[in-house]
Amino acid sequence: MAENPHHVVIVGAGFGGLEATRCLARAGVQVTLIDRRNHHLFQPLLYQVATTSLATSEIAWPIRHLLRSRKDVTTLLGTVAGVDAAAKKVLLEDGAAVSYDTLVLATGARHAYFGHDEWEPYAPGLKTLEDATTIRRRLLLAFEQAERETDLQKRRALLTFVIIGAGPTGVELAGTIAELARDTLRGDFRHIDTSQARVVLIEAGERVLAGFVPELSDYARNALERLGVEVELGQPVSQCDADGVIYGDRRLPAKTIIWAAGVAASPAAEWLGAPADRAGRVMVEPDLTAPGHEDIFVVGDTAHVALPDGKLVPGVAPAAKQQGRYAASVIRARLRGDAIPGPFSYRNDGNLATIGKRAAAIDFGWIKLRGRLAWWIWGIAHIYFLIGLRNRLTVALSWLWIYTTGQRSARLITQGGPRKD
Amino acid sequence: MAENPHHVVIVGAGFGGLEATRCLARAGVQVTLIDRRNHHLFQPLLYQVATTSLATSEIAWPIRHLLRSRKDVTTLLGTVAGVDAAAKKVLLEDGAAVSYDTLVLATGARHAYFGHDEWEPYAPGLKTLEDATTIRRRLLLAFEQAERETDLQKRRALLTFVIIGAGPTGVELAGTIAELARDTLRGDFRHIDTSQARVVLIEAGERVLAGFVPELSDYARNALERLGVEVELGQPVSQCDADGVIYGDRRLPAKTIIWAAGVAASPAAEWLGAPADRAGRVMVEPDLTAPGHEDIFVVGDTAHVALPDGKLVPGVAPAAKQQGRYAASVIRARLRGDAIPGPFSYRNDGNLATIGKRAAAIDFGWIKLRGRLAWWIWGIAHIYFLIGLRNRLTVALSWLWIYTTGQRSARLITQGGPRKD
């Protein structure tokens, strides 16, 4: 390595940032990877932590351990507060600054309430491990409180679970909560029949899994209804509060509401003063650089990348990884003086979603799958993409256990207890 | 079962309360088990959660699930605020009251600071899952902050870990933290050498593991020192603050302090207005009832039970279980009109403590063991006492992994992140 190697700073160790880091191995650059968390999170399985199927440590890995053998990479735990693009520095919240030659922003997205941030306390979203343990606590506490509630109407509201948004996360949450109530918890309570719990999936659009082909949407809807989920389509939610939701012209009393309806990008566009879409995503150039900043790449959920048909590249792990890999290839080509690769193009590797522990929908484009076979493919694919042999073993064991016994091992109410909720 | 069966209320689902519940099966009584947490916690392995070896869900089980097949048991999530012994009611914090015919208080203990409660923010103790994740976060953040600290003195304080109290918990924490620094984390950082971290175990008494025979204390001390732990005996701590500790006439700058030095009983004695010792334990009668309340049993860490030699029954899981079993046997005998069993007597099943992942000390009374053989016996015994096949499998897998690779899987900084600490 040269004495003053080119310094690439990557912000965010999600799928995009981590993939960019990996693809810069032996590129003759020095990499600093900054994240405000110490762990990389396998977000596609986060709903399984929220629904007591997996433990937090089964889907999260210390970032610096993943990169321990990469002596060219320095991992930094820190929160980025801004970018000084003129001075080529990343500014951290604690006042420190990190100089870069090339910057890759892979800072992701948070759930968003479309101008109704006041709904957040009543309808938490699912993006971090803490979000997942918060939702887990609320789910389990609702059953506990229902067990002690003698007023029938209040008990009914405690046993009503509303999920807003019927994309893959909403569908997966609804299916698993229905199984939790009907299968896992059955027989544990004395005063309530948990199988009487209502799980209501509310979607503003006309079908569930809108990113899939219509026949898979229909299949998923039927599979949800077989599990006992009530699916309400074409119903925008106009109110969330401590007593429930209002959708269409109806009020539904419910003590547990989960938000799976929308995301907003990280503040990367604000840091750069770059043009952004309504969700805050940076309108990147075809080579994923920020407009006017050819030394700054923006990848993953915080980048607005249009497909030839005008739709956006979806906010899924494979898309973020492809963008991270692409940014790394452009950086390598520039340093070597090679021809710069053509504009980023997205390869759709397929859409996957599970409905409970028996059904799944897979849309590979060239082939559509559903039912048990799809469920097994989904499970094997996710175990394959987990990092490390140990987590593969424990997740496989957890799933085998749930599949055969219906029992979920992570039914813990932590951080709160009965008093705070 | 009779129409109005005798109602036994058990408060606390730790080892004592759960064992009493179990031993009342088919006794013709109705049992209500109240706990403020939804899970039973396997406290002997809590230090392994604090030191990133095990996941929270590997050592905790939902109480109501453990008792799902016991239709005579109602599990209640609730916090007890008092006892109205005249009206025979347990009073809950939310205003509800639960009537009992017989009451078993198994409410345990919390860590205590001997009149220095102001030390708690700087030197957290280890009794709950939240305590364990708090300590885990502090340990991991100290290394992260040291990596970014350029001032050598401050870095030194960040890499100094003080454990106060050299009972089994303190010894086990010190040994595991030393291994974490020297083995698990080695190679993950770029600016610090984690093997240079200091782990200092401070004890007011003259030996470690004072409950064991002196030769095992000597062995444990040597084993700790081989792992690089500095053992300071006969050194009462006179100050804990944000900068470190003062012990003897020395100040030791340290950013991470863990309290393993003392416990105080639950407020059970206050609820009853019963005589208590200095640590708040109820001075129970020989049959474990509270003085003047023959319908109220007090078992486990919240009971003061003297041994024939004047020492106290130790605050360990087997002692609590024996007391729970004994209370159940007295209740059964009373209801049947059988002869009441003689006074409670404690059978010492042995003291166990591990030092890292290669050594342990076991004092069975009739035989003393140490070294690798003791470590294997310790491990097998703990897996045996875990509840359920699934947790036995996952804990065994976790340990096998740590044993062979040195890697610990639960290295997560959650609930806080870099900003709050």
Side-chain angles (χ1 to χ4, degrees), chain A residues 267-348:
Chain A
E270 291 169 36
W271 297 341
L272 302 176
D277 65 13
R278 279 182 58 204
R281 298 183 202 92
V282 177
M283 309 294 295
V284 293
E285 302 287 349
D287 65 354
L288 304 185
T289 56
H293 300 282
E294 68 166 21
D295 50 354
I296 303 180
F297 293 84
V298 183
V299 304
D301 287 359
T302 206
H304 175 112
V305 184
L307 293 168
D309 64 2
K311 287 189 189 166
L312 290 191
V313 170
V316 296
K321 280 177 153 179
Q322 289 176 31
Q323 294 177 20
R325 206 175 305 143
Y326 175 86
S329 72
V330 175
I331 295 169
R332 297 181 85 112
R334 285 183 186 169
L335 289 174
R336 284 192 202 141
D338 288 354
I340 302 297
F344 171 75
S345 72
Y346 173 61
R347 191 185 69 243
N348 185 351

Side-chain angles (χ1 to χ4, degrees), chain B residues 110-111 113 119-127 130-132 134-139 162-164 173 240 255-261 421:
Chain B
R110 278 288 298 170
H111 47 268
Y113 295 85
W119 295 353
E120 180 158 28
Y122 312 112
L126 185 60
K127 277 281 170 190
E130 284 82 1
D131 293 342
T134 297
I135 290 173
R136 183 176 77 186
R137 180 175 70 242
R138 291 198 184 192
L139 284 175
V162 172
I163 298 99
I164 303 172
L173 281 169
C240 293
K255 284 291 178 190
T256 310
I257 311 171
I258 306 174
W259 185 261
D421 251 76

Side-chain angles (χ1 to χ4, degrees), chain A residues 356-367:
Chain A
K357 64 177 188 179
R358 298 267 186 280
I362 303 185
D363 184 348
F364 281 128
W366 52 279
I367 189 170

